[in-house]
């Protein structure tokens, strides 16, 4: 019985082996078959494992590639952002540098303007020294003569040389005189008028000596310059002087010098800073007002010029001012704007200050030659110019522009500037001017 149980136990432990034995297979064959099955299973497992590894590797590779591209794009975006930040910083730095340079330039300009004004107002210490030392200020005519020295050399010096080279008076002599006058900026129209009048005088008086032509020329020039009233009509007060002209001709400086002159004459003077368009115009006029101790009415830059003039008139009336001098803008975009602005100012003066006498003075730079004549013609079209101020005559050899302005524009020259000092702004006198040029 034990053997039977043992036999059944062995049978239960390995039924496949028992089946194989029943099929007549030896144990070796059974072992080989088992080994083959195990080998096949191992190969299958290895293939599956390899496929899984390759699939996972491919997924990892795709994931790594996508991550790398994302990292690259992110780094690129960061670099571009940093570049933009650097560029913005550079732009901001440049703007700060430019602003600092502008501020420094404005400070230097203000210091220069103030220095020039101090020199013009206070003058040179050598000229303000004690009279007991025998030093006196240069007389008015002496200043005029010194200021017109370049013009005298250019006109009368050349005329004297020309007349000495001729032994008789003929058309060739007159043509040479014509050339000298034109090159001295007397102007073509004015020159032709002078030569025609000279030709008639030579015939009427029977002049034969070329040297006598000089006196005839002096007589003609004086007669042209004497036409019209060259005196400022501001007495008795109150009076208003409106200064017009383009920027850079010395308008603000002329206002300061005029204010100083009339204050010394005992008048109560006030300034109106109605040039609200030009940068530093109000500041420049304010410096003048402080230096010569006169009142000034001013608004902020860009304010309405008419409002400034209105306030100045009301202040003048309240303070019993004798003379109100108004600065105006000189750089407007076109003639229509210029006409509108000046027209508005004149309308306010006529309405609010009817009792005041009014002068409208055009300031022109003598060194600009015939351009000064063009400016005078333009302003005459938009404003009722009552007189002309010719500045910087000491800086040019072409002072003949005085004749051109007077003759072609038909507006009297009332003031001339022949130097930097306040005393060098002089009332125009035709005889003195002619004597300074022709001697």
């Amino acid at each position: 019985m034990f053997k039977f149980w043992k036999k059944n136990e062995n049978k239960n432990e390995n039924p496949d082996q028992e089946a194989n034995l029943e099929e007549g297979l030896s144990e070796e064959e059974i072992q080989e078959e088992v080994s083959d099955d195990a080998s096949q299973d191992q190969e299958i497992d290895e293939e599956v494992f390899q496929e899984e590894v390759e699939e996972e590797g491919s997924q990892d590779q795709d994931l790594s590639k996508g991550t790398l591209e994302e990292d690259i794009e992110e780094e690129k975006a960061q670099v571009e952002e940093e570049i933009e930040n650097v560029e913005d910083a550079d732009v901001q730095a440049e703007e700060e540098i430019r602003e600092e340079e502008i501020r420094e330039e404005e400070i230097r300009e203000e210091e220069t303007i103030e220095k020039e004004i101090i020199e013009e107002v206070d003058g040179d210490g050598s000229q303000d020294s004690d009279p007991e030392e025998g030093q006196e200020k240069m007389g008015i005519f002496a200043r005029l003569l010194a200021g017109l020295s370049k013009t005298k050399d250019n006109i009368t010096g050349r005329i004297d040389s020309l007349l000495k080279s001729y032994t008789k008076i003929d058309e060739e002599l007159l043509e040479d005189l014509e050339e000298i006058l034109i090159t001295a900026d007397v102007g073509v129209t004015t020159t032709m008028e002078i030569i025609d009048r000279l030709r008639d005088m030579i015939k009427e008086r029977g002049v034969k000596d070329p040297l006598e032509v000089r006196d005839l020329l002096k007589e003609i020039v004086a007669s042209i310059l004497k036409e019209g009233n060259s005196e400022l009509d501001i007495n008795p007060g109150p009076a208003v002087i409106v200064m017009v002209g383009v920027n850079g001709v010395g308008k603000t400086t002329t206002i300061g010098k005029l204010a100083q002159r009339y204050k010394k004459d005992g008048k109560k003077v006030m300034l109106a800073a109605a040039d609200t368009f030009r940068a530093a115009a109000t500041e420049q006029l304010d410096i003048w007002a402080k230096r010569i101790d006169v009142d000034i009415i001013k608004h902020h830059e860009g304010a309405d010029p008419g409002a400034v003039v209105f306030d100045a008139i009301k202040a003048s009336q309240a303070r019993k001012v004798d003379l109100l001098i108004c600065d105006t803008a000189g750089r407007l975009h076109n003639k229509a704007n210029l006409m509108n602005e000046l027209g508005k100012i004149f309308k306010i003066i006529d309405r609010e200050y009817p009792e005041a006498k009014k002068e409208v003075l055009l300031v022109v730079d003598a060194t600009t030659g015939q351009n000064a004549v063009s400016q005078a013609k333009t302003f005459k079209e938009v404003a009722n110019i009552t007189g002309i101020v010719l500045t910087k005559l000491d800086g040019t050899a072409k002072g003949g522009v005085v004749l051109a302005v007077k003759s072609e524009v038909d507006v009297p020259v009332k003031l001339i500037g022949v130097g930097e000092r306040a005393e060098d702004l002089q009332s125009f006198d035709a005889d003195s001017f002619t004597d300074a040029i022709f001697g």
Side-chain angles (χ1 to χ4, degrees):
M1 185 171 179
F2 176 77
K3 290 182 180 178
F4 176 80
W5 177 81
K6 187 74 172 177
K7 180 178 180 181
N8 287 338
E9 184 182 13
N10 293 335
K11 182 177 180 180
N12 291 334
E13 286 179 357
N14 196 351
D16 291 337
Q17 185 178 5
E18 184 178 354
N20 289 332
L21 289 172
E22 290 177 356
E23 291 177 3
L25 297 175
S26 64
E27 289 184 2
E28 293 178 358
E29 290 175 343
I30 292 171
Q31 187 66 33
E32 288 177 1
E33 185 175 345
V34 171
S35 298
D36 290 340
D37 291 341
S39 176
Q40 290 176 359
D41 291 340
Q42 184 177 1
E43 289 177 359
I44 292 172
D45 292 340
E46 289 179 355
E47 290 177 359
V48 172
F49 177 75
Q50 187 66 28
E51 289 176 358
E52 291 177 352
V53 170
E54 289 177 356
E55 184 177 354
E56 291 178 357
S58 176
Q59 292 176 354
D60 292 341
Q61 186 175 4
D62 292 339
L63 182 61
S64 299
K65 183 177 181 181
T67 304
L68 180 61
E69 290 178 352
E70 291 176 359
D71 293 342
I72 292 173
E73 290 297 328
E74 185 177 351
E75 291 180 0
K76 184 178 179 181
Q78 290 177 354
V79 170
E80 290 177 351
E81 184 178 355
E82 291 176 358
I83 292 173
E84 289 179 359
N85 293 335
V86 171
E87 290 177 349
D88 292 340
D90 290 341
V91 171
Q92 184 177 359
E94 290 177 359
E95 290 178 353
E96 291 177 354
I97 291 173
R98 282 197 298 268
E99 290 176 358
E100 183 65 24
E101 291 176 348
I102 291 173
R103 285 194 295 269
E104 291 177 355
E105 182 64 27
E106 289 176 349
I107 293 172
R108 286 195 297 268
E109 183 178 352
E110 289 178 1
E111 290 176 348
T112 301
I113 291 172
E114 186 169 5
K115 182 180 179 181
E116 290 175 352
I117 291 174
I118 291 172
E119 291 175 352
E120 291 171 352
V121 176
D122 294 342
D124 189 347
S126 63
Q127 295 195 351
D128 291 336
S129 57
D130 193 340
E132 293 180 358
E133 298 179 2
Q135 296 179 341
E136 297 180 356
K137 291 186 177 181
M138 192 183 297
I140 293 177
F141 181 76
R143 287 184 176 279
L144 179 64
L145 188 63
L148 295 176
S149 59
K150 293 181 180 179
T151 297
K152 181 177 181 180
D153 292 341
N154 188 41
I155 297 180
T156 56
R158 293 170 63 193
I159 289 175
D160 289 342
S161 298
L162 175 66
L163 296 178
K164 289 176 182 178
S165 66
Y166 278 85
T167 57
K168 63 176 182 177
I169 300 175
D170 54 18
E171 282 300 318
E172 185 178 353
L173 170 60
L174 296 179
E175 289 177 0
D176 288 341
L177 281 173
E178 182 180 305
E179 181 181 350
I180 291 174
L181 294 175
I182 291 175
T183 56
D185 269 341
V186 173
V188 175
T189 303
T190 308
T191 296
M192 297 304 298
E193 179 186 348
I194 292 173
I195 295 300
D196 288 342
R197 291 173 64 172
L198 178 61
R199 186 182 287 107
D200 293 339
M201 289 177 69
I202 290 173
K203 290 180 180 179
E204 291 173 0
R205 302 182 185 183
V207 177
K208 302 296 182 182
D209 186 356
L211 296 179
E212 295 181 23
V213 173
R214 188 180 192 278
D215 292 333
L216 298 181
L217 275 173
K218 181 179 179 180
E219 185 179 338
I220 294 170
V221 169
S223 66
I224 292 175
L225 294 177
K226 285 180 180 179
E227 296 174 0
N229 182 18
S230 60
E231 294 291 330
L232 286 174
D233 185 18
I234 60 172
N235 292 314
V240 179
I241 298 178
V242 180
M243 308 294 288
V244 300
V246 300
N247 292 340
V249 296
K251 190 162 75 276
T252 307
T253 301
T254 300
I255 292 172
K257 291 179 178 180
L258 265 181
Q260 183 184 15
R261 172 200 285 191
Y262 287 114
K263 186 188 177 185
K264 286 183 177 180
D265 289 344
K267 292 184 179 297
K268 189 172 184 179
V269 182
M270 177 180 288
L271 306 182
D275 182 0
T276 59
F277 293 97
R278 181 171 67 89
T282 299
E283 289 79 0
Q284 186 178 357
L285 199 63
D286 190 41
I287 293 172
W288 265 108
K290 291 176 180 177
R291 292 298 305 175
I292 59 181
D293 192 24
V294 298
D295 293 337
I296 181 172
I297 302 300
K298 58 184 179 178
H299 287 190
H300 60 82
E301 184 176 337
D304 180 11
V308 178
V309 174
F310 179 87
D311 290 347
I313 290 174
K314 294 306 176 184
S316 296
Q317 292 170 330
R319 303 175 195 178
K320 306 298 182 183
V321 168
D322 298 311
L323 177 62
L324 172 63
I325 307 177
C326 303
D327 191 12
T328 62
R331 188 171 60 184
L332 298 178
H333 295 299
N334 54 50
K335 192 182 296 183
N337 286 342
L338 178 64
M339 184 182 297
N340 291 337
E341 287 296 336
L342 293 179
K344 184 177 180 180
I345 289 173
F346 296 146
K347 187 179 294 184
I348 291 172
I349 294 174
D350 292 339
R351 184 184 69 236
E352 304 295 334
Y353 216 8
E355 69 273 22
K357 294 187 175 183
K358 185 174 69 176
E359 286 273 5
V360 182
L361 300 183
L362 171 64
V363 184
V364 292
D365 183 351
T367 62
T368 61
Q370 287 300 303
N371 191 37
V373 179
S374 299
Q375 291 174 18
K377 290 180 178 179
T378 300
F379 274 89
K380 188 181 179 183
E381 292 177 5
V382 300
N384 183 24
I385 306 298
T386 61
I388 291 176
V389 182
L390 268 172
T391 63
K392 308 177 186 179
L393 272 170
D394 57 312
T396 180
K398 298 184 177 183
V401 69
V402 174
L403 284 165
V405 169
K406 173 64 187 71
S407 180
E408 297 185 31
V409 184
D410 194 27
V411 175
V413 176
K414 296 196 172 185
L415 295 166
I416 56 174
V418 292
E420 296 296 328
R421 292 173 58 91
E423 295 85 352
D424 293 326
L425 179 67
Q426 300 186 8
S427 296
F428 181 75
D429 180 82
D431 290 329
S432 296
F433 185 87
T434 305
D435 288 340
I437 293 179
F438 287 93

